[in-house]
């Protein structure tokens, strides 16, 4: 199977970020059609029927998420989670830079479907360029009458606001994102209540990933059946896979879900330098590593990656070749999560700190067998005990590498400093 | 059914899994849990096993069918390891340390790592040792959700997360109001205070519950004592009034108790000469002298009772004057604070006290605070109002100053001092204009709505604006908020009462609640924030010339019969004098002997009243705990006891009678005031049979129907709110549910009359600024108590608040000494430039005798209730060079 551009349409249409080009290719027509000729429930029904699942990581059915919003409580909000912070993930970055209007139109369609009149696009703190592009796109679309007050002579109003984060991984977690958006410390909230009931400013709120929403205009245009015909039954549509690490041509590749692993790797030119594959991290730093043996012939959709012991998540494949020291990999992810732990609850705050200490010793060649055991102990103290999922994310790499590549740990425990000569170190 | 460790719990008995566990009697450790704030699940100590999963008990909702285990090997291991992690990052004390010890954690699992070593002892009361901090953030929550102060935040992330009150800032320089809620909540000892540290190092402490002796909120205190000293104070968690919360005065300002300045022996001037020195004397000599002199001046004696003293003592004093000395010349400091409230509310409704309870604040959807700086004067009530506003209640504030509450109000009506009547009429006019009056309520419970409507038309906001300075649009916005309220609650303070038209202003406050149907149910009412701890009680007990105990009318034959029967003496037949009238009578020679129980009138009453009276009086007795400015001028000084040193009751501003319990003995030589009064009564021919204040209360129950059901035995716990008509009655939280004592309330019409003080002063050219006087948070009234505590390290002198524009025009700079001059006298203070006062207005507190605040205030009084006009004096301000 080859690439198929549903959201990465800009790769086929030059200057699609320009409003005129976007409109010339059918842009904002779906929003206009929905607002002027369709009931909100119709839009919701199409998205529900399409089987679209969240592209941010959890794969939760999008239409179902929208339908959790109570009908008669106003105001409501759509929040676009553009806080793309998972190491190895860079699809939303490309989407917002090159195809911003499709994201905006999708968000506006979602707003119409749930009865929201305001959309907030929350961008990760480092997205300076993306923010500029989005703000310009919103301003032009609004000036041209595609967004704003009383759209197309109806009573429906949709305003879109672009807001920056301040640079914290945890703000990709939707409740931490909402806190940050409200100007509070970016730390997760207690759930329940869930955002659909009490989200932004304690009003019903849907938080959707950027790529998810970019799928909405084509679905509304071409119908649920068209969308379901792409991909697999339970994972319909295409997915942008972010390939990085030991691969010949790193980058974004949009292919139908269910595409076999080898086909995807072929698009990217395979493992670099002709080396053999050791493993991949299929959902960035937060996913358990999946060994090469389990990847052979694996169709890439949520169910089957999960069945292989990992998670598809946001489909951010970090490719690790045969020379990779897995202790070094786990050390890197541990340092990342320790740095990004918000500090709210002790198991994560202290647990990630101590995990880091142990890995620092191991990679420095000063580790012992007791240190390797300690990893398991600390992991048990974190697992299931934390306020939010970040604590468990931090355990994915340590636990999976320890289980699958024990020999790397034994070597480290024997006093050998970890090899980290990789180009991407 | 929920099953906890094998024991069944009814699902509706529990909101959270933690509730269920506690209902079942299972012990679940918690560190960041506090019933006063929403559970957050930060500390992770309360994890329990629910249907095989470990979840935090405090934040997990309970529901039918859950099987909960609180004590499994996995949980024990988890808790021990959690404590090990805690011990690696901190060195906790208190509850956190106890949990660590209980789980067997010893700090050896992980080597201690670099810790937050900050300490701060810049504040007079609060202490910080952040090495102990377990980062549970309960302090942040109680500061925000209980006090509404937002002093703390957590900064940094991951293992760098730390408590912050501003980078590089000394804690003493923060906005902290020293309520101490954080220190009392902190489970690790990271936030502490001087008293808690003292309590930790003192063995054998006993805890006594009593009622705070500062303001009229009536907070319940758990006082820890070593038998001779008050060591440490916490709020009583179970108390309805304060639910564990306290303010800087209630929690910390207790060091006056054992102060070396305490009076320990009676003082007399021998030879009957005012210029003779006050010298120590024996009790018999002093008491005999007082008895002889009071007898000698029979017919020309008067007494001021004390709102600082108990109900029983106030009752005894007025009984002495009436039954013993045959005069109604007894008054109390309600005269100079909420006398106008009692008068105004009685006139309109029939009862002169708060109609509702403090707990109603939480149920109100719109709160109108007028003439009250509640976060300063009544801090725990102020905090309650802030809590309500933070939860979404709307707030209207009428105040010439931008107070803390005004700053968070939906509408702040910043009126020119003295224009209350005009503003309240214009609010009523705007309500009618907007057609927001509650017609059903008006028809059922009032008369005169049509007439009032016609009357207030002349106060249309656009016209009243010229008098009040409040923009008409703002008045209309406030009226719209008020008129659309479902549960409109009023709280008012002395900014309404201490005026020439004070009583009439209160009548108009009643109007505002009548117009919107705001009486007789939860979350509404007109509620004066009573100033002193027992000013409500002093008036209840009959320390006012025109009303007997329980507000009985001495002209009523049935009343006369009842009192005569119980007291065994006929009631006096004179009219009785109010405080200002006593002063005038003294100056004329019609009053010759004055007995003052625990009041410092020289500092707190206008000198224009006091000085001529004191110069003419033959005999002045002051019963006091310190040698106040008033005591210095007395002929006899009797050393009394403070509220930590005696038994009795106080009645707070919501009519709640609460127990005062002896914590420590009075200093050697001093006596409980009720005992001194009984001695004096005996020596003037009226022996009393009382062995204990509870006996006095039993007599009060006999003479006063509102207290008929009150006895000390029934006052355990939260006390009783009067009226309590019989021994089975539960007390009355909400008055006027069905009808007003007057029947249908007649809506009063009050014409605005400018205070004569404005004309007396010789015009705006000579005295261009309008001075308002009042209090600050850290000190209490004349300051005899708070000035003898570390409160002086927080505030060391009175400050004149003045707008920067006025200051600039006068050449006054911030912090510089100024003279405040009125037509009556002058005061000195340091200038504090602030935009909290409007141009043309200034503010001065009266806590320090050297300031002379009440040398400046006028002799104008409320024309109904004789309350001095403390809240309006035309002055000029001059820099002292």
């Amino acid at each position: 199977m080859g690439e198929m551009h549903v959201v990465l349409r800009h790769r086929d249409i030059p200057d699609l970020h320009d409003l005129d080009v976007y409109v010339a290719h059918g842009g904002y027509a779906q929003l206009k059609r929905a607002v002027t000729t369709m009931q909100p429930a119709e839009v919701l029904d199409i998205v529900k029927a399409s089987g679209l699942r969240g592209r941010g990581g959890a794969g939760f059915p999008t239409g179902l998420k929208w339908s959790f919003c109570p009908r008669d409580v106003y105001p409501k909000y759509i929040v676009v989670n553009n806080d793309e912070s998972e190491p190895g993930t860079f699809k939303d970055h490309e989407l917002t830079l090159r195809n911003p209007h499709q994201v905006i139109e999708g968000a506006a369609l979602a707003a119409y479907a749930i009865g929201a009149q305001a959309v907030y696009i929350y961008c990760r703190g480092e997205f300076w360029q993306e923010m500029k592009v989005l703000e310009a796109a919103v301003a032009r679309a609004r000036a041209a009458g595609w967004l704003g007050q009383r759209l197309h002579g109806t009573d429906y109003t949709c305003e879109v606001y672009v807001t920056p984060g301040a640079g914290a991984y945890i703000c990709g977690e939707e409740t931490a994102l909402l806190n940050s958006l409200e100007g509070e410390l970016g730390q997760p909230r207690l759930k329940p209540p869930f955002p659909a009931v009490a989200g932004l400013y304690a009003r019903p709120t849907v938080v959707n990933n950027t790529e998810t929403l970019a799928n909405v205009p084509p679905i509304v245009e071409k119908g649920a059946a068209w969308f379901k015909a792409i991909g697999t039954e339970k994972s319909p549509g295409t997915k942008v896979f972010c390939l990085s690490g030991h691969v010949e041509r790193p980058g974004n590749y949009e292919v139908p879900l269910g595409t076999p692993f080898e086909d995807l790797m072929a698009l990217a030119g395979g493992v670099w330098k002709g080396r053999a594959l050791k493993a991949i991290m299929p959902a960035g730093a937060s996913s358990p590593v999946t060994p090469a043996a389990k990847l052979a012939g694996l169709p890439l959709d949520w169910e089957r990656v999960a069945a292989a012991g990992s998670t598809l998540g946001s489909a951010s494949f970090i490719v690790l070749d045969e020379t990779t020291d897995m202790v070094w990999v786990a050390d890197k992810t541990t340092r990342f999560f320790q740095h990004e732990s918000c500090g709210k609850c002790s198991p994560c705050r202290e647990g990630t700190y101590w995990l880091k200490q142990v890995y620092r010793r191991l990679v420095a060649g000063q580790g012992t067998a007791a240190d390797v055991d300690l990893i398991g102990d600390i992991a048990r103290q974190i697992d299931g005990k934390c306020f939010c999922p970040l604590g468990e994310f931090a355990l994915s790499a340590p636990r999976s590498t320890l289980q699958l590549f024990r020999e790397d740990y034994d070597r480290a425990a024997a006093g050998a400093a970890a090899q980290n000569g990789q180009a991407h170190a | 059914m929920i099953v906890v460790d094998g024991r069944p719990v009814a699902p509706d008995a529990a909101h959270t899994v933690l509730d269920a566990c506690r209902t079942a009697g299972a012990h679940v450790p918690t560190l960041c849990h506090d019933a006063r704030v929403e559970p957050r699940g930060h500390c992770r100590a309360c994890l329990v096993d629910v249907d095989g999963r470990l979840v935090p008990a405090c934040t997990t909702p309970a529901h039918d069918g859950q099987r909960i285990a609180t004590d499994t090997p996995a949980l024990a291991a988890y808790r021990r390891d959690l404590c090990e992690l805690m011990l690696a990052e901190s060195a906790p004390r208190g509850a956190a340390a106890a949990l660590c010890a209980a789980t067997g954690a010893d700090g050896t699992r992980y080597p201690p790592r670099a810790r937050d070593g900050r300490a701060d002892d810049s504040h007079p009361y609060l202490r910080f040792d952040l090495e102990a901090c377990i980062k549970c953030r309960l302090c942040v929550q109680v500061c925000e959700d209980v006090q509404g102060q937002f002093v703390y935040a957590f900064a940094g992330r991951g293992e760098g997360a730390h408590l912050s009150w501003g980078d590089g800032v000394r804690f003493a320089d923060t906005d902290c109001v020293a309520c101490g809620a954080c220190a009392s909540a902190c489970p690790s000892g990271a936030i502490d205070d001087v008293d808690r540290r003292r309590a930790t190092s003192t063995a054998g402490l006993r805890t006594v519950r009593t009622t705070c002796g500062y303001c009229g909120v009536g907070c319940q205190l758990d006082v820890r004592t070593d038998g001779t000293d008050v060591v440490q104070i916490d709020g009583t968690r179970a108390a309805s009034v304060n639910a564990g919360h306290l303010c800087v005065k209630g929690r910390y300002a207790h060091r006056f108790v054992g102060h070396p300045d305490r009076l320990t022996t009676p003082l007399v001037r021998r030879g009957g000469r005012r210029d003779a020195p006050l010298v120590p004397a024996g009790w018999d000599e002093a008491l005999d002298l007082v008895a002889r002199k009071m007898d000698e001046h029979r017919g020309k004696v008067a007494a001021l009772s004390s709102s600082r003293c108990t109900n029983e003592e106030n009752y005894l004093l007025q009984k002495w004057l009436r039954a013993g000395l045959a005069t109604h010349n007894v008054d109390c400091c309600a005269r100079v604070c909420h006398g106008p409230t009692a008068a105004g509310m009685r006139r309109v409704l029939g009862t002169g006290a708060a109609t509702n309870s403090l707990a109603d604040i939480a149920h109100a959807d719109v709160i109108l605070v007028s003439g009250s700086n509640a976060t300063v004067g009544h801090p725990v009530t102020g905090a309650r109002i802030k809590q309500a506003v933070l939860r979404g209640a709307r707030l209207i504030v009428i105040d010439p100053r931008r107070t803390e509450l005004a700053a968070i109000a939906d509408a702040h009506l910043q009126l020119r001092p003295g224009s209350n009547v005009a503003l309240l009429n214009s609010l009523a006019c705007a309500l009618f204009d907007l057609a927001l009056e509650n017609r059903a309520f008006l028809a059922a419970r009032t008369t005169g709505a049509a007439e009032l409507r016609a009357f207030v038309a002349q106060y249309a906001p656009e016209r009243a604006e010229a008098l009040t300075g409040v923009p008409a649009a703002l008045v209309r916005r406030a009226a719209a908020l008020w008129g659309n309220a479902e549960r409109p609650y009023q709280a008012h303070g002395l900014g309404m009462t201490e005026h020439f038209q004070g009583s009439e202003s209160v009548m108009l406050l009643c109007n505002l609640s009548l117009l919107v149907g705001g009486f007789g149910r939860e979350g509404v009412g007109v509620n004066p924030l009573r100033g002193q701890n027992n000013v409500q009680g002093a008036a209840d007990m009959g320390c006012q010339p025109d009303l007997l105990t329980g507000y009985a009318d001495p002209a009523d034959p049935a009343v006369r019969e009842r009192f005569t029967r119980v007291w065994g003496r006929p009631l006096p037949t004179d009219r009785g004098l109010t405080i200002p009238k006593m002063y005038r009578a003294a100056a004329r020679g019609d009053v010759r002997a004055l007995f003052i129980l625990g009041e410092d009138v020289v500092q707190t009453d206008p000198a224009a009243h006091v000085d001529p009276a004191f110069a003419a009086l033959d005999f002045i007795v002051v019963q006091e705990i310190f040698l106040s400015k008033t005591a210095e001028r007395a002929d006899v000084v009797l050393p009394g006891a403070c509220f930590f040193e005696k038994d009795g009751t106080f009645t707070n501003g919501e009519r709640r009678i609460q127990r005062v319990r002896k914590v420590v003995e009075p200093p050697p030589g001093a006596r409980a005031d009720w005992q001194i009064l009984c001695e004096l009564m005996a020596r003037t021919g009226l022996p009393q049979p009382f062995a204990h204040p509870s006996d006095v209360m039993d007599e009060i129950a006999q003479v006063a129907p509102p207290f008929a059901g009150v006895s000390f035995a029934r006052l355990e716990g939260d006390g009783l709110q009067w009226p309590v008509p019989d021994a089975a009655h539960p007390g009355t939280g909400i008055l006027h549910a069905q009808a007003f004592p007057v029947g249908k309330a007649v809506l009063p019409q009050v014409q605005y009359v400018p205070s004569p003080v404005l004309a007396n002063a010789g015009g705006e050219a000579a005295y261009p600024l309008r001075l308002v006087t009042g209090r600050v948070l850290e000190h209490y009234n004349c300051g005899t108590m708070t000035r003898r505590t570390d409160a002086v390290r927080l505030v060391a002198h009175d400050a004149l608040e003045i707008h920067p524009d006025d200051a600039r025009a006068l050449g006054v700079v911030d912090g510089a000494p100024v003279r405040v001059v009125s037509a009556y006298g002058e005061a000195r203070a340091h200038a504090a430039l602030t935009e909290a006062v409007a141009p043309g207005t200034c503010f001065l507190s009266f806590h320090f005798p050297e300031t002379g605040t009440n040398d400046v205030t006028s002799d104008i009084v409320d024309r109904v209730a004789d309350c001095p006009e403390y809240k309006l004096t035309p002055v000029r301000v001059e820099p002292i060079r």
Side-chain angles (χ1 to χ4, degrees), chain A residues 255-271:
Chain A
V255 296
L257 282 157
T259 297
F261 175 70
E262 285 81 358
D263 291 12
L264 179 65
M265 284 298 283
L267 289 172
V271 181

Side-chain angles (χ1 to χ4, degrees), chain B residues 481-503:
Chain B
L481 275 174
W482 187 245
N484 285 310
E486 283 178 34
R487 290 174 308 283
Y489 181 96
Q490 281 203 54
H492 72 271
L494 305 184
M496 283 289 127
T497 60
E498 290 177 345
H499 277 293
F500 176 63
Q501 284 189 292
S503 299

Side-chain angles (χ1 to χ4, degrees), chain A residues 70-120:
Chain A
R71 252 166 228 222
D72 46 355
V73 182
Y74 296 95
K76 303 182 228 208
Y77 300 105
I78 289 287
V79 173
V80 183
N81 186 346
N82 201 31
D83 185 74
E84 186 175 51
S85 307
E86 182 69 42
T89 309
F90 37 80
K91 61 193 179 60
D92 300 336
H93 150 84
E94 178 178 348
L95 268 174
T96 42
L97 276 182
R98 304 287 175 217
N99 194 8
H101 288 290
Q102 191 166 331
V103 175
I104 295 166
E105 186 179 7
L109 281 164
Y112 183 70
I114 68 159
Q117 302 204 324
V119 171
Y120 289 87

